[in-house]
Amino acid sequence: MTSPEPAGTTRRIFIDKQSPKAYHALVQTSEAVRAVAADAGLDRVLVELVNLRVSQLNGCAYCLHLHTRAALRAGDTPQRLGVLAAWRETGLFTPAERAALALAEAATAVADTAAADTAWAAARDVLTEDQISAVVWVAVTINAFNRVSVMSRHPVRAE
C-alpha cells in the first residue's frame, strides 16, 4: 500500500503494511511497555503526555492526532495539551509529569548527554527507578512509531 503524497514529493510505501511481521513486533513491544508503565504506577495521562511530547519533537502528525485523542480520553485537558510544547513555561504540569517530559526529550535527542544527565537527576527526585525505566521505554517506543509514521507519511484525515 502506498501513501498519498503532497505535490512534488517522492512516493512512499506504508512500511507497517509492507512488513507486517516487523510492525506486529513493535505493537507487541508497545503493549508490554504499556503494562510496565501501569505496573510502575504511571497513570495514563502521564504516558500520553510523553507520547505527545516525543511526537511533537519528531513532527509526527499521525501520532499527534492519535495520542491527543488518547490523552483527552484519559482525562487530560485541552488547555494542558495546548501548551505542552512549552511545558517548562507553565505551572500546569506536576513534578512527576515534568520529570517524565524531560526524560522523554532526552530519550529523543540522545546525542545531548548533558540534558540527559540533568533529566535523570531531576527524575530521581520524584520518580521511582521503575517509573524512570517505564518513562524511557514509553519514549523509546513512541520514537519508533514516529519513525514508522513519518517515513511512511501516514495521513491525518479530517474528522
Side-chain angles (χ1 to χ4, degrees):
M1 173 178 256
T2 59
S3 61
E5 302 303 325
T9 61
T10 301
R11 188 172 177 201
R12 299 190 186 180
I13 58 171
F14 289 151
I15 65 169
D16 51 326
K17 305 289 188 238
Q18 190 68 33
S19 305
K21 287 181 183 178
Y23 184 73
H24 182 69
L26 183 56
V27 169
Q28 287 181 311
T29 299
S30 176
E31 290 167 357
V33 168
R34 184 176 299 154
V36 164
D39 290 347
L42 298 179
D43 68 24
R44 194 74 199 152
V45 168
L46 184 146
V47 169
E48 292 305 335
L49 287 172
V50 168
N51 287 331
L52 282 166
R53 185 63 187 131
V54 170
S55 297
Q56 287 174 338
L57 294 171
N58 289 325
C60 184
Y62 184 83
C63 293
L64 284 166
H65 174 71
L66 181 77
H67 291 286
T68 296
R69 291 176 21 199
L72 291 169
R73 280 193 311 270
D76 215 334
T77 66
Q79 179 191 26
R80 282 171 30 106
L81 299 181
V83 299
L84 180 59
W87 64 269
R88 286 181 176 85
E89 306 302 321
T90 76
L92 297 177
F93 300 95
T94 69
E97 290 168 340
R98 297 173 75 77
L101 291 167
L103 278 173
E105 289 179 357
T108 302
V110 294
D112 188 349
T113 57
D117 287 343
T118 301
W120 277 87
R124 286 187 174 281
D125 290 339
V126 294
L127 299 173
T128 68
E129 289 187 357
D130 285 344
Q131 290 172 330
I132 291 170
S133 180
V135 166
V136 173
W137 273 109
V138 170
V140 166
T141 305
I142 192 62
N143 267 290
F145 278 111
N146 287 169
R147 281 146 178 79
V148 169
S149 290
V150 169
M151 291 304 295
S152 299
R153 239 189 223 124
H154 286 156
V156 176
R157 303 196 197 303
E159 294 180 339

